[in-house]
Amino acid sequence: MQNYLIRQEQKKDYRVVEELVRDAFWNVYRPGCQEHYVLHCFRGAKDYVPELALVMEVGGKIIGQIMFVRAELELEDGKTLPIMTFGPISIATQYKRQGYGLALLNFALTKAKEMGVGAVAMAGNIDFYGKAGFVPAKNLGIHYADDWDADYFLAKELQTGFLDGVKGVYHDPKGYFVCVNDTDGFAKYEASFPYKEKLKLPGQLFGE
Ligand SMILES: CC(C)(COP(=O)(O)OP(=O)(O)OC[C@H]1O[C@@H](n2cnc3c(N)ncnc32)[C@H](O)[C@@H]1OP(=O)(O)O)[C@@H](O)C(=O)NCCC(=O)NCCS
C-alpha cells in the first residue's frame, strides 16, 4: 500500500467521486450500476452526513470514497434508536484488494465513533466487512425489514453496550434509494458519462 490521505469530500470532488463510484461498481452487482446516482441524488438530503463523506487520495488522486446516512432502528416498544448506515464505498479498480478499502472503512468507523454514533448497519459481504468487526445484524438483535433473517445484513456496535438488550428492525432510510426509481432522471444522468458496456456476469445479485 502506498501512502494515502483521507479527507472530507468537497464540492469540487463531486464529479470525480461519481466517476470513481461508477467505475468501481460497474457490472459488479448488476449489468451497469446505479450507485453513483444514489450518491449524486443523496448529497444535501437531511439524513446525509457530510462529516462522514470521505475521500481517499493516493499521490494527489482520489482513489476511494465512502458516504454515511442517518438511520434508525424501530424497537419493540415503539421507540426508535438512531444509528447510521453507509454506502456506497468504493475503491478504484486498479487499487482494489490492496488494503485501501479496509483502511478507509476503519478510518470512517473511528470517526463515526468519535462523533458518538452508537452502531452502524448495512447489507454487505461479510468477507470484507467482517475484517472491520461486522457480524450478521440478527446476532445483535437487529433484523432487516426487507429480508428478516438475511445473513448479509450486517451490523457493528461502535459504543460498547449500545445494542445491549436491543431488539430492533431496520428500514432503509426514506429517500436513500428513491432516485433509483427515477428512470428518466437516471437515464439523463447516465448519458453524461462516457459509454461503458453493460454485461450480465456470473455472481451478479440483480438483473438489469
Ligand atoms: C468492496 C471494496 C470497497 C473493498 O475494497 P478493497 O480495497 O478492494 O478491499 P481490501 O483490499 O481492503 O480488502 C481487505 C480484505 O477484505 C476481503 N475482501 C475485500 N474485497 C472482497 C471481495 N470482493 N470479496 C471477498 N472478500 C473481499 C479480503 O479478505 C481482503 O483481504 P485479501 O485481499 O488479503 O484477501 C472494493 O473492492 C470496491 O470498491 N468494490 C466495488 C464496489 C463495492 O462492492 N462496494 C461495496 C458494496 S457493499
Side-chain angles (χ1 to χ4, degrees):
M1 246 174 44
Q2 300 172 49
N3 285 342
Y4 60 81
L5 173 95
I6 298 174
R7 62 169 175 82
Q8 197 174 329
E9 183 191 59
Q10 296 166 23
K11 217 168 187 172
K12 66 175 171 58
D13 306 319
Y14 284 2
R15 183 69 182 191
V16 173
V17 170
E18 288 166 36
E19 284 166 2
L20 163 75
V21 174
R22 183 174 180 258
D23 285 348
F25 276 86
W26 195 260
N27 291 335
V28 174
Y29 297 102
R30 67 179 80 236
C33 68
Q34 296 174 321
E35 282 78 1
H36 51 315
Y37 194 49
V38 172
L39 171 62
H40 177 77
C41 297
F42 209 73
R43 287 199 196 95
K46 82 171 172 31
D47 294 332
Y48 176 78
V49 187
E51 303 91 320
L52 291 172
L54 303 174
V55 295
M56 183 177 223
E57 283 184 11
V58 169
K61 190 171 161 267
I62 293 177
I63 65 112
Q65 68 68 231
I66 188 167
M67 70 166 259
F68 279 68
V69 174
R70 289 179 208 288
E72 56 187 27
L73 299 177
E74 188 189 319
L75 304 180
E76 279 183 327
D77 61 5
K79 292 190 179 135
T80 56
L81 191 63
I83 61 163
M84 281 194 191
T85 185
F86 63 89
I89 171 173
S90 333
I91 294 295
T93 305
Q94 63 273 34
Y95 289 91
K96 281 179 187 168
R97 300 303 287 261
Q98 296 166 51
Y100 292 106
L102 194 56
L104 176 60
L105 177 60
N106 281 329
F107 182 97
L109 293 172
T110 301
K111 194 160 183 220
K113 180 178 176 167
E114 286 165 8
M115 286 167 63
V117 178
V120 282
M122 36 67 71
N125 183 345
I126 190 76
D127 292 341
F128 174 59
Y129 294 103
K131 296 252 152 68
F134 282 82
V135 296
K138 59 186 177 183
N139 298 355
L140 298 174
I142 301 170
H143 292 270
Y144 189 24
D146 290 2
D147 189 357
W148 194 256
D149 275 324
D151 289 320
Y152 62 81
F153 190 68
L154 311 175
K156 177 179 161 91
E157 194 179 64
L158 296 185
Q159 312 293 338
T160 308
F162 184 80
L163 294 174
D164 281 0
V166 163
K167 289 207 185 318
V169 181
Y170 173 92
H171 299 265
D172 287 318
K174 283 195 188 76
Y176 199 10
F177 300 109
V178 165
C179 62
V180 168
N181 297 323
D182 170 17
T183 42
D184 288 351
F186 177 58
K188 206 169 148 198
Y189 170 76
E190 179 57 20
S192 72
F193 290 87
Y195 173 78
K196 262 168 120 55
E197 191 182 2
K198 287 185 184 179
L199 296 173
K200 283 189 186 181
L201 298 175
Q204 286 173 344
L205 302 175
F206 310 102
E208 215 162 331

